[in-house]
């Protein structure tokens, strides 16, 4: 077992290898989510045999991710249990998917108690549905796009460092609309800009009448999925949100035809965000669980 150490860009190949073995579509397993939000909750990483250990040191306590990878699961769990004991805490695993739960139950029957975490469930959509907005269910999104195209001289560009200042300008406007915005999210976005090439991100920026109207960015997750980390649009430009979502999907179809799914992540239990995600009609959800190790009774 290697020692746990603070996450850094040098750990991305470890995540890529672990994800390639499981082909997971879960946002909990993406390197970007772990690395970019290290500002909010410190993360440490260790190699556990052929598996990856991720430790979260947060205000609510210490917990761990499911050890992705291959090979015997038991030694990896034993290592995490020992690490949790050093912290004086029982072993909690968060962001556990249904297949990962099944693997834990098969390897260690009866040793974990599981709790559903609905607020953490990922919403998975087809790239095709976003690119075409076809069908009755998405007619409202289609109408918003049609009105946007009629009202504005618009263009979409693939996001690159040349567009980062326009994204920053948009964020300033968005924060003003929201009476301050989200400083932690803005810091995570700035961290993404700083490490853009190393993270392997892709994204797009939408302009309306020469003004930045929306941007989005995400990273590859497994062989056929993009994890959409950020999506921002100005409220005073109706239709900007469905437009950036549609154009990004079309961008993926053109440049990354192997990408079939969009993981637009969780709703965090926020009613308005849940409603917005449901209105795009996900193909399916990735259910998440918290797993608590059950200590032997004395």
């Amino acid at each position: 077992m290697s020692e746990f150490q603070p996450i850094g860009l040098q750990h991305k190949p470890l995540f890529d290898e672990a994800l390639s073995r499981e082909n997971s579509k879960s946002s909990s397993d993406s390197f970007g989510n772990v690395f970019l939000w290290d500002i909010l909750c410190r993360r440490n990483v260790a190699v556990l045999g052929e598996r990856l250990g991720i430790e979260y040191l947060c205000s609510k306590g210490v917990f761990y991710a499911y050890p992705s990878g291959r090979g015997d699961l038991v030694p990896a769990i034993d290592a995490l249990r020992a690490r949790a004991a050093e912290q004086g805490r029982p072993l909690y695993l968060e962001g556990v998917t249904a297949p990962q739960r099944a693997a834990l139950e098969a390897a260690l029957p009866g040793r974990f108690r599981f709790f559903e975490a609905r607020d953490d469930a990922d919403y998975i959509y087809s790239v095709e549905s976003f690119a075409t907005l076809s069908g009755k269910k998405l007619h409202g999104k289609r109408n918003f796009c049609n009105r946007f195209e009629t009202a504005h001289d618009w263009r979409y560009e693939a996001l690159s460092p040349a567009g980062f200042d326009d994204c920053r300008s948009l964020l300033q406007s968005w924060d003003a609309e929201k009476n301050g915005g989200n400083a932690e999210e803005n810091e995570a976005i700035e961290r993404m800009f700083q490490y853009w090439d190393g993270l392997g991100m892709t994204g797009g920026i939408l302009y309306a009448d020469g003004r930045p109207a929306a941007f989005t960015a995400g990273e590859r997750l497994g062989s056929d999925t993009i994890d959409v980390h950020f999506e921002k649009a100005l409220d005073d430009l109706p239709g900007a949100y469905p437009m950036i979502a549609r154009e990004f999907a079309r961008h993926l179809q053109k440049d990354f035809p192997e990408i079939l799914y969009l993981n637009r992540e969780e709703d965090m239990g926020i009613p308005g965000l849940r409603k917005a995600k449901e209105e795009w009609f996900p193909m399916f959800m990735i259910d998440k669980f918290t797993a608590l190790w059950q200590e032997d009774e004395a």
Side-chain angles (χ1 to χ4, degrees):
M1 169 184 166
S2 69
E3 293 296 321
F4 278 85
Q5 55 185 264
I7 190 168
L9 200 60
Q10 71 274 17
H11 295 120
K12 187 177 186 302
L14 297 177
F15 281 73
D16 292 344
E17 184 178 4
L19 287 178
S20 69
R21 291 169 175 173
E22 296 197 5
N23 198 24
S24 172
K25 292 179 173 58
S26 169
S27 66
S28 301
D29 295 329
S30 75
F31 178 77
N33 264 336
V34 180
F35 178 77
L36 293 174
W37 290 98
D38 184 54
I39 56 174
L40 180 63
C41 176
R42 308 309 297 183
R43 290 100 195 268
N44 294 322
V45 178
V47 175
L48 309 176
E50 293 185 277
R51 293 183 174 271
L52 182 63
I54 308 170
E55 177 182 66
Y56 295 78
L57 306 173
C58 301
S59 58
K60 68 178 182 179
V62 181
F63 59 91
Y64 298 84
Y66 172 87
S68 297
R70 66 182 177 189
D72 192 352
L73 189 55
V74 175
I77 294 297
D78 287 343
L80 294 182
R81 287 177 55 216
R83 178 71 174 183
E86 292 175 6
Q87 304 281 352
R89 298 176 180 272
L91 175 62
Y92 277 93
L93 305 179
E94 293 203 3
V96 176
T97 66
Q100 291 169 349
R101 173 180 176 169
L104 288 169
E105 291 180 316
L108 295 157
R111 299 317 308 257
F112 282 98
R113 185 179 178 189
F114 295 92
F115 306 87
E116 185 175 7
R118 170 61 182 86
D119 296 348
D120 296 334
D122 287 336
Y123 291 73
I124 309 298
Y125 308 83
S126 76
V127 172
E128 176 73 15
S129 69
F130 270 59
T132 62
L133 301 179
S134 61
K136 184 176 180 180
K137 289 182 177 180
L138 295 177
H139 76 278
K141 308 294 184 187
R142 191 165 61 248
N143 288 342
F144 266 116
C145 288
N146 290 339
R147 290 196 290 269
F148 186 96
E149 290 178 294
T150 299
H152 303 287
D153 177 17
W154 69 276
R155 73 182 192 276
Y156 170 91
E157 295 179 0
L159 187 56
S160 70
F164 291 170
D165 281 345
D166 284 339
C167 293
R168 294 183 179 104
S169 174
L170 187 152
L171 281 174
Q172 290 179 349
S173 299
W174 193 90
D175 288 349
E177 289 181 344
K178 306 299 181 184
N179 298 317
N182 186 323
E184 291 168 342
E185 183 179 40
N186 289 352
E187 190 174 348
I189 291 171
E190 192 61 43
R191 186 173 170 88
M192 176 184 70
F193 292 159
Q194 180 182 358
Y195 296 102
W196 179 264
D197 290 336
L199 289 169
M201 292 283 180
T202 188
I205 184 167
L206 176 72
Y207 294 89
D209 308 315
R211 172 190 180 194
F215 75 88
T216 188
E219 69 174 310
R220 184 185 292 267
L221 190 57
S223 63
D224 57 9
T225 303
I226 287 285
D227 183 3
V228 181
H229 292 312
F230 303 107
E231 183 180 85
K232 293 290 184 182
L234 297 179
D235 288 342
D236 68 350
L237 292 171
Y241 271 113
M243 279 291 293
I244 189 65
R246 186 193 74 179
E247 291 305 302
F248 183 50
R250 291 179 176 181
H251 167 188
L252 293 175
Q253 284 189 319
K254 179 177 179 293
D255 292 347
F256 306 96
E258 70 277 13
I259 299 298
L260 304 178
Y261 303 100
L262 298 168
N263 183 327
R264 290 175 64 87
E265 301 189 344
E266 72 280 8
D267 60 39
M268 299 175 288
I270 300 171
L273 188 56
R274 180 167 296 185
K275 181 175 183 292
K277 290 180 183 289
E278 289 174 344
E279 286 176 349
W280 281 96
F281 298 96
M283 290 185 69
F284 59 91
M285 306 287 291
I286 296 180
D287 296 327
K288 305 282 184 72
F289 302 88
T290 295
L292 170 62
W293 178 264
Q294 301 297 290
E295 297 291 347
D296 294 323
E297 295 184 1

